[in-house]
Amino acid sequence: MKNAISLTQNNLAEIATHITSPTYSRNDLEIGIVHVGVGGFHRAHQAFYTNKLQETKNANEWAICGVGLREGDRKIYDVLKKQDGLYSLIIKHPDGNIETSIIGSIKDILLSVDDPKAVVQRMANPQTKIVSLTITEGGYNFDASTGEFNFNNTDIQHELQNPDDPKTVFGYLTAALKKRWDSALPAFTIMSCDNIEHNGDVTQKMVMSFAKKQNPDLAQWIENNVSFPNSMVDRITPVTTQADIEYLEKEYGLKDEWPVTCEPFIQWVIEDDFSNGRPELEKVGVQFVPNVKPYEKMKLRLLNAGHSVLGILGALHGHQTINACMEDATFVKYLRTFMDIEATPTLDQLEGIDLDTYKDSLEARFANPNIKDSVSRICSESSAKLPKFLIATLSDNLESHNSIEFATLVIASWCYYSDKQLNKDGQPIEVIDAMAKELHEAAKQTSSDPLSFIKQKSIFGNLADNERFANQYKEKIAKIYNDTDIKKHMKEMI
C-alpha cells in the first residue's frame, strides 16, 4: 500500500476525491466562536453542526477557534495545528455502515499555557460573538454539596489578585470581557455545552460569583450584557482508538492522528437567548426553544444516569463496554426498570416527546455494537457526574417517597469500586477521577463505618443523614461486600 496522505489543507483537494470534505472555502471563514475544550464531544457535536451550516455557503462568519487551557490539551493542540484544524469524523451505525467525512469548521487552535494573551485577544476580538465551553462538570469549580463557587482553588486565588494573568476559564472570560467593556464593544454570549442540568444558569452563577469578587464594576456590566443560554447536547462519542486511526489508513490511505468516532444520533436544544447574534443552526437541525430545562433534565436523568448505571455495575461485573452490558439481559432489564420507576417520575412535562419511545431509542443506542463505548470512559470522573445525573434523581425520589433502591445499589457499588478497585473476578479496575484518592480513603473505612463513603458532603450533601436512604445503602453495602456477584443482586431486584 502506498504511503498514507496526511490530513492537511494542502492535501484536502486530493482527499476530497474519496472522502466527503468541506466544499466551502475555508480561507473565507472568519472566527465567530471561541470554544474552550476541544475534545471528542465538541468535534462530534458543535463543530459537526457548524461544518454542516457552513456547507450552506451562508455562514462564513461562524468558524471556530479552539482553545486548550491545560498542559493536558497539548496533544490535541499539536495534532490540530499540524492538520490545519481538520479532522475525520467516523459515524458508526448499528447495522455496520460507516460514514466518514472531513470536518473543516475549526479554523484555528490556541493553547493558553503557551500564549495566554493570544487567548484573551481572540475572545476580545470584535468578530467573536460566542464563547462556548465543554470543560466537563469539574471545570465549573463549584462545590457539589452547596452549589457555590469554590474560592479555595489556588488558581482562582491567583486570578483574583492578578486579573491580567488568567489560569482558569473564569479568569480568561473576565479578562476578555473587560477588554470589550473598555473598548465599548458588545459582549459575547457564554454558551455551555456540558452535561450539567441548567448548564447556562450554572455558568452564569459561577462567572458572576468570580467576577463580583474580582471586579464588581465589571460584574455589573456582565450581568447587564452577557447571555448564558441553557442547552441540551447529545451524541455518544467514545474515546478514539488506534483501530480507528488504522481504519482510515487502510480504508482511505489517510493519516489522521486524532479522528473522532460517534453514533449517528445527534441532538442539540438551545434557549434562544444570545447577546450578540448567533449562527442559524436551526437550518441544520438544532432546536431553539424558550425553555430547555425539561429537555436537559430528561437527557441527564435517562441517558447520562443510565450510562452511569450500566458503567458502574458493568465495571464490577467485568463487562468492558456499554454494548456488552446491553447484550446481557439482566443489565437491560435493570436499566429499563431504573428508567421507568426511578428516573421517569422525576421528569417534567415534555411537549412533543414520547418518553417510552425515547427510552427505547436509548436502549438501541447503548446497544450499538460498533460504538464499543468503554465502561472506563463512562465511569471516569464519577465524582463530578453522579451528583448531577444520579444523586439528584435519588434526592427527588426521597422527597416524593418513590423508589430509590436501583440508584442506591449503584452508589453502594461505586463505594466498592472505589475501595477495592477490582471486579467480581479479582481483575483490577482503573479508577479515573480527580477525587480518586478521597473516594478510596472514604470507601476503605466502610468496614468500620458503613456510611463513610456517603459522608463525603462535597458529593452527597447531607444524604447520609436521611434515615431511609442510609438504611437502604447499608443493606446494599452489606450484600456487595459479602458477595461481589453484582449480577446476582441485580436479579433479586428485577
Side-chain angles (χ1 to χ4, degrees):
M1 184 177 140
K2 65 178 183 178
N3 288 340
I5 185 170
S6 296
L7 179 53
T8 64
Q9 183 63 41
N10 285 341
N11 293 334
L12 195 56
E14 184 180 343
I15 293 165
T17 62
H18 53 290
I19 303 178
T20 302
S21 299
T23 61
Y24 52 87
S25 168
R26 294 183 79 230
N27 289 333
D28 293 338
L29 297 180
E30 295 177 353
I31 290 165
I33 300 168
V34 174
H35 183 82
V36 181
V38 189
F41 182 77
H42 168 70
R43 294 193 289 149
H45 191 268
Q46 186 186 349
F48 167 82
Y49 271 121
T50 306
N51 180 80
K52 205 171 172 185
L53 183 64
Q54 281 153 354
E55 285 292 346
T56 68
K57 312 292 194 297
N58 196 26
N60 280 351
E61 72 272 31
W62 294 110
I64 298 166
C65 173
V67 171
L69 292 184
R70 306 165 303 129
E71 184 58 40
D73 295 317
R74 186 171 296 281
K75 183 183 174 188
I76 189 65
Y77 167 78
D78 287 343
V79 168
L80 287 179
K81 206 73 181 167
K82 191 191 297 186
Q83 295 184 177
D84 302 313
L86 295 164
Y87 62 93
S88 313
L89 186 67
I90 307 167
I91 300 176
K92 298 181 177 180
H93 293 258
D95 63 3
N97 183 36
I98 298 176
E99 290 176 75
T100 303
S101 59
I102 307 300
I103 305 298
S105 51
I106 298 177
K107 185 166 184 178
D108 196 11
I109 179 95
L110 300 171
L111 188 65
S112 69
V113 289
D114 284 355
D115 195 348
K117 286 194 170 95
V119 174
V120 174
Q121 291 292 0
R122 174 48 71 188
M123 289 182 177
N125 188 303
Q127 288 180 340
T128 300
K129 307 290 198 302
I130 295 169
V131 175
S132 52
L133 314 173
T134 46
I135 53 177
T136 74
E137 296 82 357
Y140 289 85
N141 193 53
F142 58 81
D143 183 319
S145 64
T146 64
E148 299 303 318
F149 193 77
N150 174 21
F151 284 103
N152 295 324
N153 181 324
T154 52
D155 285 339
I156 296 294
Q157 291 174 352
H158 170 86
E159 290 173 326
L160 292 175
Q161 300 303 317
N162 304 277
D164 293 328
D165 186 24
K167 305 286 185 190
T168 74
V169 67
F170 303 101
Y172 279 99
L173 289 171
T174 54
L177 286 166
K178 184 168 190 308
K179 279 187 174 292
R180 295 179 82 108
W181 181 37
D182 289 345
S183 303
L185 290 170
F188 48 69
T189 296
I190 300 176
M191 181 174 69
S192 170
C193 299
D194 278 298
N195 281 318
I196 297 176
E197 197 165 348
H198 315 333
N199 54 13
D201 295 345
V202 169
T203 308
Q204 181 176 31
K205 183 177 179 180
M206 297 306 114
V207 169
M208 291 307 302
S209 297
F210 175 79
K212 282 174 183 174
K213 206 151 222 184
Q214 189 191 57
N215 184 334
D217 293 335
L218 174 63
Q220 188 60 56
W221 184 82
I222 293 172
E223 190 166 1
N224 293 340
N225 291 278
V226 177
S227 292
F228 297 83
N230 289 298
S231 68
M232 185 269 266
V233 295
D234 192 2
R235 189 171 226 183
I236 296 171
T237 308
V239 173
T240 302
T241 66
Q242 185 60 33
D244 297 319
I245 294 169
E246 290 169 2
Y247 167 79
L248 292 173
E249 287 206 31
K250 184 178 176 187
E251 193 73 17
Y252 299 106
L254 178 68
K255 184 181 180 186
D256 181 344
E257 293 184 30
W258 204 332
V260 181
T261 68
C262 63
E263 64 170 338
F265 182 92
I266 188 167
Q267 189 175 25
W268 194 3
V269 186
I270 316 174
E271 285 175 354
D272 200 354
D273 176 21
F274 288 76
S275 315
N276 191 15
R278 65 164 176 82
E280 293 182 287
L281 289 161
E282 61 269 38
K283 289 181 175 177
V284 290
V286 176
Q287 295 167 262
F288 287 93
V289 298
N291 180 13
V292 80
K293 290 175 185 177
Y295 297 89
E296 66 183 2
K297 191 177 190 182
M298 173 191 74
K299 189 253 175 174
L300 293 170
R301 296 196 177 192
L302 291 173
L303 184 144
N304 296 104
H307 252 158
S308 292
V309 166
L310 294 176
I312 289 169
L313 298 176
L316 284 195
H317 180 69
H319 287 315
Q320 297 299 308
T321 61
I322 293 299
N323 66 291
C325 294
M326 295 301 289
E327 289 162 10
D328 185 324
T330 301
F331 278 77
V332 173
K333 191 168 182 187
Y334 191 96
L335 171 69
R336 187 57 180 244
T337 311
F338 162 77
M339 291 197 293
D340 285 346
I341 73 169
E342 291 191 7
T344 301
T346 71
L347 302 181
D348 305 317
Q349 272 303 118
L350 284 148
E351 198 174 323
I353 299 277
D354 181 313
L355 283 174
D356 285 331
T357 303
Y358 181 75
K359 287 181 279 191
D360 291 344
S361 78
L362 289 184
E363 290 186 22
R365 292 167 63 194
F366 291 164
N368 185 335
N370 300 303
I371 288 294
K372 301 198 185 308
D373 205 359
S374 69
V375 161
S376 64
R377 182 189 84 86
I378 297 302
C379 292
S380 68
E381 306 304 337
S382 284
S383 63
K385 294 173 180 175
L386 290 190
K388 297 299 172 191
F389 302 165
L390 191 71
I391 296 168
T393 299
L394 188 146
S395 298
D396 281 358
N397 282 325
L398 281 170
E399 220 172 283
S400 57
H401 306 288
N402 283 334
S403 169
I404 60 165
E405 65 173 336
F406 288 82
T408 304
L409 181 69
V410 177
I411 291 167
S413 300
W414 184 31
C415 172
Y416 186 89
Y417 168 104
S418 302
D419 178 8
K420 306 298 184 184
Q421 301 182 15
L422 299 169
N423 67 23
K424 70 174 175 60
D425 299 319
Q427 297 299 311
I429 292 170
E430 183 188 12
V431 177
I432 306 166
D433 200 298
M435 287 185 65
K437 188 178 177 187
E438 295 91 328
L439 293 168
H440 178 63
E441 288 301 314
K444 77 177 186 181
Q445 295 171 43
T446 297
S447 56
S448 57
D449 176 7
L451 300 182
S452 61
F453 188 70
I454 60 168
K455 285 179 178 175
Q456 298 175 92
K457 290 200 169 186
S458 67
I459 296 171
F460 295 98
N462 296 317
L463 271 178
D465 299 332
N466 184 290
E467 189 178 355
R468 182 179 167 221
F469 171 64
N471 287 339
Q472 283 226 16
Y473 177 78
K474 282 191 284 188
E475 179 194 314
K476 307 292 187 203
I477 277 287
K479 283 188 172 183
I480 294 168
Y481 274 76
N482 186 51
D483 182 352
T484 57
D485 186 353
I486 194 66
K487 201 160 140 179
K488 174 182 165 188
H489 305 314
M490 293 164 69
K491 281 180 176 175
E492 288 170 358
M493 293 167 61
I494 55 175

